[in-house]
């Protein structure tokens, strides 16, 4: 459910016609609906109202300050995976005691920053990391609160690049070694065990992998308790999928129904780290058709957004629906590749897609681009990053200005005496 809809011929975001925004900010740009963002957050939050919980929005899905701040005002926190994301979360006004820090490769500097900020907990992914964190906290005269990220060896049945909870994955501590690692953690003077963490993958469209992995984690929590290790927080990660095409992922209330019976008896505060399910369908990428081109083999629609703006189709072969911003009657349909201006054959937004015929200068909306869209954008081909716009009812806000050419060369230098 989202707030991008046609009124007559024109695609609107809430009360604002998208073509008018394109006139003002130029193309390409990311466009987010305030009503969709808040609705998704609220629906997720209310689905789990029966159990004590905290929603730590996964900042890597969409790290714009205005969006992080919005979830913070709704009682949310952040799941961060780098010092940069921690910086963003704090700048956005998220309370440190609602920030959790995951990732297999935290540096000493990042540990220092997070300890200084006094975040809720580190989600630790290896024994070397645990020992370094103990050492760093000791040097600072502090105790680091940790959860160990456990890899439950469950197949989330999603794209291999976004599966994270299988035995062969780089993430977490194998569940068979978890007790040992917890005992190590307990022996370290500057570590305080407060929780357990898992995150099994992304764009998961079935409750079964969540149920299976949580059953294993629940059993482990029981074993830890018999060893005198108390677990206050069960952080179950994110991963709930969204409909990009014809997927039918469970609604958060269905997910709650399936997992609450496992979670409730544990008496833990549950931390959720949803990313995609909150922001994915709340954002689109608006792009302009530059040319149409017919080769003996194929028809192409060449647009002004490329893989540097939205890499998901190139990286994961992801499907994004593509809709005209002005829907004109009497147009034919054509099967095309929608491609960008980047000098790579992998630069496409859609392949062999039947769309309504378009002409140069017309606008297209690439749907479901609110998650892993702007955050994965790059400056490849020296392309300034697109603007980000947030609409609330009949008002709009530029929440990130389009980059300039000067932005592209910031920090570069031609040495004098090379
Ligand atoms: C990516 C990630 C998430 C969010 O995943 P979604 O599929 O967007 O919900 C949550 N937790 C961790 C540790 C992650 O790496």
């Amino acid at each position: 459910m989202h707030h991008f809809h046609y009124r007559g011929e024109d695609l609107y975001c809430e009360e604002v016609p998208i073509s008018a925004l394109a006139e003002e900010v130029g193309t390409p740009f990311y466009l987010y609906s305030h009503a969709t963002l808040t609705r998704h957050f609220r629906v997720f939050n209310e689905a789990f109202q029966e159990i004590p919980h905290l929603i730590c929005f996964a900042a890597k899905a969409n790290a714009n300050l205005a969006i992080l701040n919005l979830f913070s005002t709704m009682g949310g926190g952040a799941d961060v995976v780098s010092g940069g994301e921690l910086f963003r979360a704090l700048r956005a006004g998220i309370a440190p005691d609602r920030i959790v820090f995951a990732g297999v490769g935290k540096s000493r500097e990042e540990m220092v920053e997070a300890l200084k900020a006094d975040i809720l907990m580190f989600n630790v992914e290896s024994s070397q990391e645990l020992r370094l964190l103990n050492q760093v906290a000791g040097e600072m005269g502090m105790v680091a609160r940790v959860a160990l990220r456990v890899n439950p060896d469950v197949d989330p049945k999603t794209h291999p690049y976004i599966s994270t909870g299988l035995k062969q994955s780089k993430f977490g501590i194998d569940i068979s070694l978890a007790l040992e690692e917890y005992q190590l953690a307990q022996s370290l003077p500057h570590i305080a065990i407060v929780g357990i963490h898992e995150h099994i993958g992304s764009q998961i469209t079935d409750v079964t992998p969540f149920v299976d992995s949580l059953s294993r984690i629940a059993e482990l929590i029981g074993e830890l308790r018999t060893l005198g290790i108390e677990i206050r927080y069960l952080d179950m990660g994110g991963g709930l999928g969204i409909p990009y095409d014809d997927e039918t992922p469970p609604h958060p209330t269905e997910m709650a129904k399936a997992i609450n019976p496992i979670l409730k008896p544990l008496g833990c505060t549950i931390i959720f780290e949803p990313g995609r399910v909150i922001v994915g369908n709340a954002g689109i990428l608006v792009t302009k058709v530059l040319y149409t081109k017919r080769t003996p083999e194929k028809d192409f629609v060449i647009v002004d957004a490329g893989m540097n703006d939205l890499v998901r189709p190139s990286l994961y072969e992801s499907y994004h629906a593509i809709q005209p911003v002005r829907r004109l009657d009497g147009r034919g349909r054509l099967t095309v590749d929608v491609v960008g201006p980047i000098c790579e054959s992998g630069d496409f937004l859609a392949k062999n897609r039947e769309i309504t015929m378009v002409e140069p200068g017309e606008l297209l909306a690439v749907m479901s681009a609110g998650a892993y869209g702007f955050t994965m954008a790059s400056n490849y081909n020296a392309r300034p990053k697109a603007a980000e716009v947030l609409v609330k009812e009949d008002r709009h806000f530029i929440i990130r200005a389009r980059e300039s050419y000067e932005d592209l060369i910031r920090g570069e230098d031609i040495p004098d005496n090379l």
Side-chain angles (χ1 to χ4, degrees), residues 261-277:
I262 306 171
L263 299 179
K264 264 192 195 161
L266 296 172
C268 298
T269 295
I270 310 300
I271 297 176
F272 297 99
E273 302 173 339
R276 190 188 312 272
V277 72

Side-chain angles (χ1 to χ4, degrees), residues 99-102 106 110-116 119-124 129 133 143-149 194 197:
I99 296 177
V100 294
F101 191 169
K106 300 178 196 78
E110 288 173 321
M111 290 175 179
V112 169
E113 288 156 19
L115 284 165
K116 271 192 188 148
I119 63 166
L120 177 58
M121 64 185 192
F122 291 84
N123 291 331
V124 171
E129 183 193 337
L133 182 60
V143 172
R145 288 179 293 274
V146 305
L148 297 191
R149 176 169 181 174
V194 294
H197 177 230

Side-chain angles (χ1 to χ4, degrees), residues 123-202:
N123 291 331
V124 171
E125 307 220 14
S126 68
S127 34
Q128 286 187 6
E129 183 193 337
L130 191 59
R131 288 176 197 277
L132 179 61
L133 182 60
N134 176 61
Q135 188 188 329
V136 174
E139 287 163 14
M140 296 171 71
M142 294 182 75
V143 172
R145 288 179 293 274
V146 305
L148 297 191
R149 176 169 181 174
V150 172
N151 179 339
D153 190 24
V154 162
D155 186 353
K157 299 196 169 59
T158 184
H159 191 283
Y161 288 6
I162 49 176
S163 293
T164 54
L166 277 168
K167 249 185 160 37
Q168 61 269 31
S169 153
K170 72 172 176 177
F171 295 101
I173 292 159
D174 193 278
I175 193 156
S176 63
L177 305 170
L179 283 182
E180 230 172 279
E181 288 296 330
Y182 267 101
Q183 284 170 310
L184 167 65
Q186 206 181 20
S187 74
L188 298 172
H190 301 285
I191 296 290
I193 298 167
V194 294
I196 191 162
H197 177 230
E198 66 154 357
H199 171 72
I200 56 174
S202 199

Side-chain angles (χ1 to χ4, degrees), residues 43-266:
V43 164
F44 197 95
N45 204 18
E46 283 170 5
F48 293 98
Q49 63 192 359
E50 281 175 40
I51 44 175
H53 70 275
L54 172 65
I55 299 180
C56 291
F57 171 69
K60 75 176 191 284
N62 191 318
N64 186 287
L65 294 185
I67 288 176
L68 296 181
N69 175 263
L70 177 63
F71 298 143
S72 164
T73 62
M74 298 183 77
D79 157 48
V80 302
V81 294
S82 70
E85 284 188 358
L86 173 62
F87 171 78
R88 282 184 168 279
L90 294 170
R91 271 298 171 90
I94 295 178
D97 65 359
R98 291 195 225 140
I99 296 177
V100 294
F101 191 169
V104 294
K106 300 178 196 78
S107 69
R108 167 185 278 272
E109 293 73 24
E110 288 173 321
M111 290 175 179
V112 169
E113 288 156 19
L115 284 165
K116 271 192 188 148
D118 201 20
I119 63 166
L120 177 58
M121 64 185 192
F122 291 84
N123 291 331
V124 171
E125 307 220 14
S126 68
S127 34
Q128 286 187 6
E129 183 193 337
L130 191 59
R131 288 176 197 277
L132 179 61
L133 182 60
N134 176 61
Q135 188 188 329
V136 174
E139 287 163 14
M140 296 171 71
M142 294 182 75
V143 172
R145 288 179 293 274
V146 305
L148 297 191
R149 176 169 181 174
V150 172
N151 179 339
D153 190 24
V154 162
D155 186 353
K157 299 196 169 59
T158 184
H159 191 283
Y161 288 6
I162 49 176
S163 293
T164 54
L166 277 168
K167 249 185 160 37
Q168 61 269 31
S169 153
K170 72 172 176 177
F171 295 101
I173 292 159
D174 193 278
I175 193 156
S176 63
L177 305 170
L179 283 182
E180 230 172 279
E181 288 296 330
Y182 267 101
Q183 284 170 310
L184 167 65
Q186 206 181 20
S187 74
L188 298 172
H190 301 285
I191 296 290
I193 298 167
V194 294
I196 191 162
H197 177 230
E198 66 154 357
H199 171 72
I200 56 174
S202 199
Q203 185 53 15
I204 299 169
T205 53
D206 180 13
V207 292
T208 315
F210 293 111
V211 171
D212 291 351
S213 63
L214 284 171
S215 306
R216 291 181 195 186
I217 298 280
E219 201 176 312
L220 181 58
I221 290 175
E223 290 169 33
L224 288 168
R225 284 179 175 159
T226 62
L227 293 173
I229 298 173
E230 196 39 51
I231 299 295
R232 259 177 73 196
Y233 298 102
L234 164 50
D235 181 342
M236 62 161 290
L240 190 56
I242 62 170
Y244 283 100
D245 186 8
D246 53 7
E247 303 93 334
T248 52
H251 189 274
T253 55
E254 279 173 65
M255 171 140 141
K257 213 160 140 195
I259 64 175
N260 274 354
I262 306 171
L263 299 179
K264 264 192 195 161
L266 296 172

